[in-house]
Structure formats: C-alpha cells, structure tokens
Amino acid sequence: MNPYLSEDQRMLRDAARRFLSQRHPAALARAAGRQDAPARLALWRELAEQGWAALLAPEAQGGLALGMREAWIVAEEAGRHLLSLPLAANMAILPTLCGAGGAAAQWAGAMMAGETWHADAAMRPDGSAFIEGAGEGVRALAVRQAGPTALRLELLAPVAGVTALDPTMPVAVQAHPQVIDSIELESGPGMWRRLRTRLRLLRSAEMLGAASAALDLAAAYARERRQFDRAIGANQAIKHRLAEDWMALDDARLAGWAAAASLDAGAESAPRDCLFAPLLAGQASRRAAQNAIQTHGALGVTWECDAHLYLKRVLRLSASLEAETSTPDLLERIWETAA
C-alpha cells in the first residue's frame, strides 16, 4: 500500500477542502437545523456538480468510477467541515443502486444529477427507523438484507429533521415509518457485506476528519493562549498529548487507506483490513476530540467554541459504528481472521 497521495488525489483533497471551507464553514454547520429545504437542496446540487456523490458509481451510469481511497478523501473533508448532508451514506449506496437497474437506477440518476439526496435510514429491530440527514421533502432510503442473496430497498416518506446530539446534522426517529416505494434485489454473494463495509469505511473517514479539525483547533489555541508569559503549548502535559493524538489519527488514516486499497483491488485480505480502520478511527477520534475540549479549558465547554461541534460529530458517528459492530466484536473478528 502506497502511504502517499498521488497528484490527482492531492488535487481532489485540496479542491474539496477549498470548496467546503467556502460553502460550508462552521457558522453554516451551526445553523444546520435551521436551514430551509431549498438551501440544503442547492448545496446538494453543488456537491453533485463536483461529482462527489458519484465517485464510486460506474462510468456507464454517469459516475466517475473512482476508488474507495478517493471516496475516503472526500468523506474525510466532509467530516472536517461538518457537512450537514449525508454525503458518505449516499456515496456508499450509489454503486448498489446503479447496478440494480430499473427504478433503483432512476433513484441513483436523480441523486447524481443533484435533484435530490436520500437520508440514511437505519431500521431497528422494533420496526422504527433512525434517519440521518432528515428534512422537509427528503425521502429516506433504508437497505436491509432480505436473504443470503437478496437486498430490500425501501423509500420512506419525508419527515422533518431535528437537532439532537450532533447539532450539525438533522436527524429523526420514526416509530412507524411510511414506506412509499420498495424494491427487492437479487444480489450476488457478498453484496450486503461490501455495501456495509463501504459505509463503515466512509463513516470512519468522516469521523477522522472531524477529529482532525478538532486537533487543529486545539493546536492553534495552544500556540496562542499564554500563561506565565509563554504559550500553553510549551507545557509537556499539553504538547505531548496533542502529538499523541496526531499520531493516533495518522495511524487510523493509514489503516483506512490500506483498507480502501485492499477493497478496490479485491484482495483476499480485504475483509481483515477493513476491520482495523473503524476500530482505530473510533478510539483515536474520540480521544482527540475530547482532548481538544480539555486544551481549551473553560472556553472549551462554551457554546461559542467550535470544539464541541467536532466532539458531537465524532460521538454520533462513533455510536453509529458501535451500534452495527461493537469494539469487542471487531477485536474478536480481527483475532479470528488472524488465526
């Protein structure tokens, strides 16, 4: 695995960072719950024009047919800028929709054209749904495994989003979601696993992006805040902690790149490689975001300080990943594959 970005990948990262810093600054992320539907749709249309939603979609269906490493780069920048749209979930599902044909391909075409996006609906055992990216006029898409070689896709009626743990991403909980359309797909062996693996990797990238932004914020504050006539970053208790957080985030990022490369290459080690990224990303991101609050001291717990926004994004994504596969389960699966 090449630990360095290619020139094209660096250009993609810089373009995503530049675009999101201009179109989705922290001030806009704070107001995510108050954005109206036309404003959110306009932002999605701009993202679609960049081609990011269609990064993994086949070229024959209008996609860019790029790899998971490119998708990882964009998802990480989306997390760094607290994007209030479920870009990672839409990127992950688009290859499946395009491959299904029929109505599913039409749903994919509308997403890639910027006409709409789909909120991500996670169905619970009691029949309720937790919806990420909910909003007025936005249909949610729930994907379930209907059998060993079958997937069931359900379009849910729009529901208004509210701000919860993460104020930068509107969510909703529906006890009895209304299904307005559904498709059952005959899928090849492993399609469900590949779909969930793509989503876990992109959520891990988004989480790392938010944690990296929190670390940058903390490092900048440590250089500026002075006590006893010197910057607090000169104190070992602070600078060593920040350095350790940087190293942990970098380790998780390298694990994510390795997993993305294995997945794209169809390597035999891909199932094992894809277990490390969410494990390392969850541990490193939670610690870095929490330490960013501590570095800011009393300022870190105020609403005006952006550090809490990154922490809440990290905690929500971490909870989402843990709900699907807990840390003990990941460790057990890593152990089993190594054996």
Side-chain angles (χ1 to χ4, degrees):
M1 190 275 295
N2 185 356
Y4 303 103
L5 297 179
S6 67
E7 183 178 355
D8 288 343
Q9 289 167 344
R10 287 196 300 271
M11 290 175 61
L12 176 63
R13 180 200 61 194
D14 294 344
R17 187 169 297 179
R18 185 167 53 249
F19 174 85
L20 290 170
S21 64
Q22 294 172 357
R23 288 292 290 113
H24 204 276
L28 187 62
R30 283 176 173 271
R34 301 190 298 274
Q35 282 185 301
D36 57 20
R40 300 184 75 203
L41 181 58
L43 178 59
W44 177 260
R45 189 172 293 114
E46 291 185 57
L47 296 177
E49 289 172 357
Q50 301 293 322
W52 296 340
L55 273 175
L56 299 174
E59 192 172 0
Q61 275 79 29
L64 299 184
L66 295 177
M68 277 296 297
R69 190 153 173 180
E70 286 78 13
W72 175 287
I73 290 169
V74 173
E76 185 173 349
E77 291 304 318
R80 178 180 289 274
H81 294 87
L82 300 174
L83 183 64
S84 56
L85 296 172
L87 178 61
N90 280 259
M91 282 197 295
I93 191 61
L94 261 172
T96 301
L97 295 180
C98 290
Q106 293 177 3
W107 299 350
M111 293 161 65
M112 291 188 288
E115 298 171 7
T116 187
W117 75 90
H118 290 133
D120 180 50
M123 304 303 295
R124 295 170 169 176
D126 63 357
S128 63
F130 177 80
I131 302 173
E132 174 197 76
E136 180 185 347
V138 180
R139 297 177 299 181
L141 180 60
V143 184
R144 290 189 275 188
Q145 189 173 22
T149 60
L151 297 180
R152 183 172 179 81
L153 282 63
E154 296 177 337
L155 270 185
L156 309 182
V159 58
V162 298
T163 55
L165 168 65
D166 178 7
T168 67
M169 177 66 74
V171 298
V173 176
Q174 281 190 299
H176 304 287
Q178 178 188 353
V179 179
I180 57 178
D181 199 359
S182 64
I183 300 174
E184 192 153 322
L185 304 178
E186 285 298 324
S187 60
M191 178 177 283
W192 171 253
R193 179 183 56 79
R194 289 193 297 272
L195 171 60
R196 301 312 300 175
T197 299
R198 284 199 302 267
L199 184 56
R200 281 197 300 272
L201 286 180
L202 294 182
R203 287 199 188 281
S204 300
E206 186 180 349
M207 184 164 53
L208 277 177
S212 297
L215 176 61
D216 291 346
L217 193 68
Y221 183 78
R223 289 191 294 267
E224 296 171 359
R225 179 74 168 93
R226 302 184 69 83
Q227 286 184 342
F228 306 110
D229 203 29
R230 69 173 187 171
I232 63 172
N235 299 321
Q236 291 186 0
I238 291 179
K239 67 180 179 182
H240 286 185
R241 182 185 298 171
L242 296 177
E244 290 169 357
D245 289 342
W246 184 90
M247 291 176 64
L249 292 175
D250 195 52
D251 286 344
R253 184 175 294 108
L254 290 173
W257 288 356
S262 293
L263 203 62
D264 288 338
E268 291 184 6
S269 62
R272 181 198 63 202
D273 295 341
C274 291
L275 297 175
F276 290 96
L279 176 65
L280 295 177
Q283 294 175 344
S285 298
R286 287 193 300 269
R287 189 177 72 180
Q290 289 164 351
N291 285 341
I293 299 287
Q294 296 299 319
T295 301
H296 283 82
L299 178 64
V301 297
T302 63
W303 180 256
E304 291 76 18
C305 180
D306 288 339
H308 75 96
L309 298 176
Y310 299 114
L311 174 61
K312 290 171 181 175
R313 174 62 65 100
V314 166
L315 292 178
R316 180 180 60 79
L317 291 170
S318 177
S320 174
L321 290 170
E322 283 276 340
E324 182 170 353
T325 308
S326 66
T327 297
D329 289 339
L330 278 174
L331 290 171
E332 183 175 356
R333 289 169 61 185
I334 290 171
W335 176 262
E336 289 174 349
T337 55

